[in-house]
Amino acid sequence: MSYEPLTCPAQPTQRAYDRNVLTIRKIILVIAAPLVLAAAGVTHPHGLSRSTAAEWTQLHIALLPVFPLLTIGLLVPLWHRPRPDLAGIATVTAWAGAFVYAAYYTGLDAVAGIAAGTAVEHTAETAALGPIKRPLYHTGEALGQAGAYALIGAVVATAIALFPKHGARVVPGTVILLVAGWFFVDSHIFWPRGVWTMLGFALGFALLAWGTARSTPAARDRRSVTTG
């Protein structure tokens, strides 16, 4: 006489606990970069002068790898293989926008941050700083604005990609991210506007991660019909 081993299916409360823990981990992951940038914005020099040049340069060197990490807030909810449909096209578009943002906003930090700070720090005491800073500022700002607009486009594409599965849950986070993205075009992380912009990104990414933690009933029904 043989006996089959008894198996205990996972309890609903355990599954809910695991799902909540995963959601919390995702939220922590997506808010880390904007919170770091917000904290850095509090200490960011308000202007570039000979007295602030060293701090200006060092801060932008330290933040060089942090700004691209803002895109984690979009990549986490889009972490799946895109399908050949509207949502899949929107997913790839969001990835492309995130890449363009990361490349061009890094250019802003490199030109208007590191290069400008280094140039001012090593300029003769009697030389005027305006002709040195202005060309670097203009180039850096053009790169930064291109990156910020690309990030806004990536937010819109992300919402289009996620809406069929998650419905209205993605709307609050998307709205806040669009507002923060609009301010990001010309606020950088300067206190106070830039700091509030980064906190807006943190809140928007958190809401997006929470809203995509589970799909809508309609989406679950469509999946069950497809797999049934």
Side-chain angles (χ1 to χ4, degrees):
M1 185 174 183
S2 60
Y3 296 91
E4 293 184 359
L6 296 175
T7 58
C8 296
Q11 297 297 320
T13 53
Q14 181 63 40
R15 290 197 298 269
Y17 172 80
D18 294 340
R19 187 165 53 243
N20 290 337
V21 169
L22 180 60
T23 300
I24 292 172
R25 289 176 179 174
K26 288 181 178 180
I27 290 175
I28 293 173
L29 180 61
V30 301
I31 68 174
L35 289 183
V36 170
L37 292 171
V42 175
T43 62
H44 195 298
H46 283 270
L48 175 56
S49 62
R50 288 183 175 88
S51 61
T52 62
E55 181 184 359
W56 184 280
T57 302
Q58 293 166 4
L59 181 63
H60 284 90
I61 291 175
L63 296 180
L64 200 62
V66 182
F67 276 102
L69 296 181
L70 277 179
T71 59
I72 290 178
L74 302 179
L75 298 180
V76 167
L78 292 175
W79 198 257
H80 61 271
R81 180 180 298 178
R83 297 180 178 180
D85 55 13
L86 177 61
I89 294 172
T91 297
V92 175
T93 302
W95 291 347
F99 172 78
V100 172
Y101 154 74
Y104 279 80
Y105 212 85
T106 298
L108 164 66
D109 266 1
V111 176
I114 300 171
T118 302
V120 169
E121 185 178 5
H122 294 86
T123 299
E125 291 289 338
T126 56
L129 298 181
I132 297 173
K133 295 191 298 183
R134 279 195 294 271
L136 295 172
Y137 278 177
H138 291 163
T139 301
E141 288 174 0
L143 293 171
Q145 288 178 356
Y149 284 127
L151 185 60
I152 293 173
V155 170
V156 174
T158 298
I160 295 173
L162 296 176
F163 190 83
K165 182 179 180 181
H166 302 284
R169 290 193 182 98
V170 304
V171 173
T174 299
V175 171
I176 293 175
L177 289 175
L178 289 176
V179 173
W182 181 254
F183 285 116
F184 191 40
V185 171
D186 60 0
S187 70
H188 193 50
I189 59 172
F190 291 108
W191 170 264
R193 192 160 171 259
V195 173
W196 284 109
T197 296
M198 290 300 111
L199 294 177
F201 274 124
L203 177 59
F205 289 143
L207 290 174
L208 201 62
W210 175 82
T212 56
R214 61 181 67 179
S215 58
T216 62
R220 289 195 296 268
D221 292 341
R222 285 196 297 270
R223 286 203 306 270
S224 63
V225 171
T226 303
T227 57

